């Protein structure tokens, strides 16, 4: 599969081209940079706009074969001269965000509140490329680099930025400079960012959920918005590892039976490609708790866990079965945490509401709320 280049690489390449045109007076329609990964990026330079004291240009973001929401966006770099010669007699670079680049409003992210959401590595990349051209052109003044994205405000609504408290646009991201197709690491990085943010807000209990399936139920029953929880997707085990590493004292996992039944079988990554043992685990729990053979056969024929729960209700065994399922879930959650955190859990169904909860779950929920 074809890899792409990050918004950080696009910003660095565009900035290098813009400063070259500004200081040399020559037009540049292509530029080459070396990404932190060691892979060359040959960028096409578009939308060139030149004046006496500034030059702007853009690079089109190409995420390769990764389904990146910013693919096709124009990452615009505008470089302006602030002074022809600095006090230190060495070139210096100031970086800011323009239209379509988000502003950080909450702590715990790569940049402080009030700063443009241009992360540390892209900033380093931009500065490196600009200073390289300054050295080549023997320029010792001060430059301002402004990064913008005309489509950024609209695109940001489709990203995690609103959840993270980044307002007004997209982020300029990337630690390697390249985008690896379908990278699980990108999801894990996002989970860690959200956990870091919770920690920075002073929270000692990490509220975690795979998704928002039970959002209406949780809001109606407990007054808690699941959207405020850290979304761990299928990476339940990795999220526990990261929360423990960050020093959380407690973790509350709230999830749909369709995901958490897999955890009762020891699956710490609940993606279907890792295995689908939902009905087998539901059937095993039903047998353990005295459900009839006919009931077990019906469960094995079910397509969804909601259907399977109904079969157990028909046998009047729901409380016993869910108590057993929860016990197995907690066994594996506690095993993964290694005693580093207190774990709580709530299991729900869209159709039937709360199915099971640990004794400490509501107390933890109140702490999170």
């Amino acid at each position: 599969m074809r890899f792409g280049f990050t918004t950080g690489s696009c910003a660095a390449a565009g900035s290098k081209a813009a400063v070259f045109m500004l200081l040399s007076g020559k037009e540049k329609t292509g530029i080459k940079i070396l990404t932190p990964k060691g892979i060359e990026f040959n960028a096409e330079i578009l939308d060139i706009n030149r004046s006496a004291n500034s030059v702007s240009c853009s690079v089109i973001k190409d995420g390769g074969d990764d389904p990146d929401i910013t693919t096709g966006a124009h990452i615009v770099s505008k470089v302006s001269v602030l002074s022809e010669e600095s006090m230190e007699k060495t070139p210096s670079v100031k970086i800011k965000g323009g239209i379509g680049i988000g502003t950080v409003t909450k702590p715990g992210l790569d940049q402080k509140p009030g700063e443009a959401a241009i992360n540390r590595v892209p900033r380093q990349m931009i500065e490196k490329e600009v200073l390289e051209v300054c050295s080549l052109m023997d320029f010792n003044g001060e430059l301002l680099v402004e990064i913008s994205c005309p489509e950024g405000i609209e695109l940001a609504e489709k990203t995690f930025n609103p959840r993270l408290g980044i307002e007004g646009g997209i982020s300029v991201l990337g630690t390697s400079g390249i985008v690896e197709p379908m990278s699980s690491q990108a999801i894990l990085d996002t989970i860690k960012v959200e956990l870091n943010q919770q920690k920075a807000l002073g929270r000692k209990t990490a509220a975690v959920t795979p998704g928002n399936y039970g959002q209406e139920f949780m809001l109606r029953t407990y007054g808690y918005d699941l959207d405020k929880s850290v979304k761990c997707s299928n990476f339940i085990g990795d999220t526990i590892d990261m929360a423990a590493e960050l020093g959380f004292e407690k973790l509350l996992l709230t999830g749909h039976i369709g995901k958490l039944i897999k955890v009762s079988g020891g699956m710490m990554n609940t993606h279907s490609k890792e295995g689908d043992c939902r009905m087998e685990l539901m059937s095993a729990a039903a047998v353990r708790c005295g459900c009839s053979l006919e009931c077990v056969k019906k469960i094995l024929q079910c397509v969804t866990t909601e259907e399977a729960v109904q079969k157990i209700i028909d046998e009047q065994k729901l409380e016993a079965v869910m108590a057993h399922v929860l016990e197995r879930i907690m066994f594996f959650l506690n095993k993964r945490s290694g005693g580093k955190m207190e774990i709580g859990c709530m299991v729900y169904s869209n159709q039937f509401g709360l199915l099971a909860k640990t004794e400490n779950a509501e107390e933890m929920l109140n702490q999170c709320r």
Side-chain angles (χ1 to χ4, degrees):
M1 298 181 77
R2 187 173 64 90
F3 61 79
F5 293 92
T6 63
T7 46
S9 288
C10 295
S15 298
K16 183 177 184 178
V19 73
F20 179 86
M21 288 187 278
L22 179 63
L23 299 182
S24 71
K26 299 176 181 179
E27 190 165 291
K28 196 78 171 170
T29 58
I31 203 82
K32 181 190 296 184
I33 68 168
L34 186 66
T35 65
K37 187 79 169 180
I39 296 173
E40 285 189 347
F41 177 30
N42 291 294
E44 183 182 4
I45 304 302
L46 303 169
D47 306 317
I48 298 169
N49 192 339
R50 301 163 63 186
S51 68
N53 290 313
S54 68
V55 172
S56 68
C57 60
S58 70
V59 175
I60 303 294
K61 167 67 187 296
D62 179 6
D65 288 333
D66 189 72
D68 191 322
I69 200 70
T70 57
T71 289
H74 294 70
I75 307 302
V76 180
S77 299
K78 180 180 180 181
V79 179
S80 307
V81 177
L82 293 178
S83 68
E84 292 289 343
E85 190 169 340
S86 68
M87 297 288 290
E88 293 78 18
K89 308 294 183 182
T90 57
S92 63
V93 182
K94 293 184 178 179
I95 300 170
K96 74 173 188 176
I99 292 172
I101 302 300
T103 300
V104 177
T105 66
K106 294 181 180 180
L109 299 176
D110 184 272
Q111 297 294 303
K112 296 178 181 178
E115 294 289 336
I118 304 172
N119 279 9
R120 178 180 56 85
V121 173
R123 285 175 184 268
Q124 291 172 348
M125 293 171 66
I126 293 167
E127 185 175 35
K128 171 182 173 293
E129 300 300 338
V130 169
L131 290 179
E132 183 181 298
V133 176
C134 287
S135 177
L136 181 67
M137 299 293 177
D138 197 26
F139 177 82
N140 291 318
E142 294 178 289
L143 296 173
L144 173 65
V145 177
E146 180 179 322
I147 307 299
S148 59
C149 176
E151 308 93 339
I153 296 174
E154 182 180 354
L155 289 175
E157 296 302 316
K158 303 173 184 178
T159 71
F160 279 97
N161 277 12
R163 280 178 47 76
L164 297 174
I166 298 174
E167 299 178 354
I170 62 170
S171 300
V172 179
L173 303 171
T175 55
S176 67
I178 67 168
V179 179
E180 298 184 52
M182 302 299 290
S183 173
S184 295
Q185 190 59 48
I187 301 173
L188 291 171
D189 288 345
T190 301
I191 295 168
K192 191 160 189 177
V193 166
E194 292 200 36
L195 286 169
N196 263 318
Q197 193 171 59
Q198 297 293 315
K199 189 69 177 175
L201 291 170
R203 293 173 183 164
K204 297 179 180 180
T205 301
V208 173
T209 184
N212 281 342
Y213 282 138
Q215 188 168 21
E216 184 182 341
F217 158 72
M218 289 298 292
L219 198 60
R220 183 178 67 251
T221 308
Y222 294 102
Y224 182 71
D225 186 355
L226 279 179
D227 195 47
K228 296 178 180 178
S229 297
V230 173
K231 300 297 182 300
C232 68
S233 184
N234 296 296
F235 300 97
I236 292 172
D238 289 299
T239 303
I240 291 172
D241 295 344
M242 288 187 278
E245 180 186 333
L246 290 170
F248 281 95
E249 296 176 4
K250 301 176 182 180
L251 183 146
L252 174 63
L253 176 64
T254 307
H256 186 270
I257 182 64
K259 287 285 186 187
L260 298 194
I261 188 64
K262 296 183 180 183
V263 179
S264 75
M267 292 182 66
M268 290 290 115
N269 183 331
T270 57
H271 197 287
S272 57
K273 72 178 182 180
E274 301 294 330
D276 185 6
C277 51
R278 293 169 302 151
M279 300 313 157
E280 289 79 4
L281 288 166
M282 292 284 278
S283 298
V287 169
R288 178 78 176 243
C289 297
C291 288
S292 68
L293 179 60
E294 188 62 29
C295 174
V296 173
K297 288 180 179 179
K298 289 178 181 178
I299 292 172
L300 288 170
Q301 292 173 351
C302 290
V303 175
T304 69
T305 48
E306 298 275 350
E307 292 179 73
V309 168
Q310 181 62 66
K311 306 305 179 189
I312 295 168
I313 290 173
D314 292 343
E315 290 269 308
Q316 300 183 359
K317 296 286 186 180
L318 183 65
E319 185 176 350
V321 171
M322 288 301 117
H324 174 69
V325 168
L326 181 62
E327 180 187 341
R328 299 307 299 160
I329 290 171
M330 290 304 299
F331 171 81
F332 288 108
L333 293 179
N334 285 322
K335 183 179 180 182
R336 185 64 178 246
S337 72
K340 294 177 183 177
M341 293 182 297
E342 179 185 348
I343 306 281
C345 184
M346 301 180 80
V347 184
Y348 57 77
S349 153
N350 292 339
Q351 186 175 352
F352 305 107
L354 185 68
L355 299 176
K357 64 179 179 180
T358 55
E359 290 183 2
N360 58 1
E362 286 196 27
E363 180 185 350
M364 286 189 184
L365 193 62
N366 287 332
Q367 292 168 355
C368 296
R369 188 166 47 202

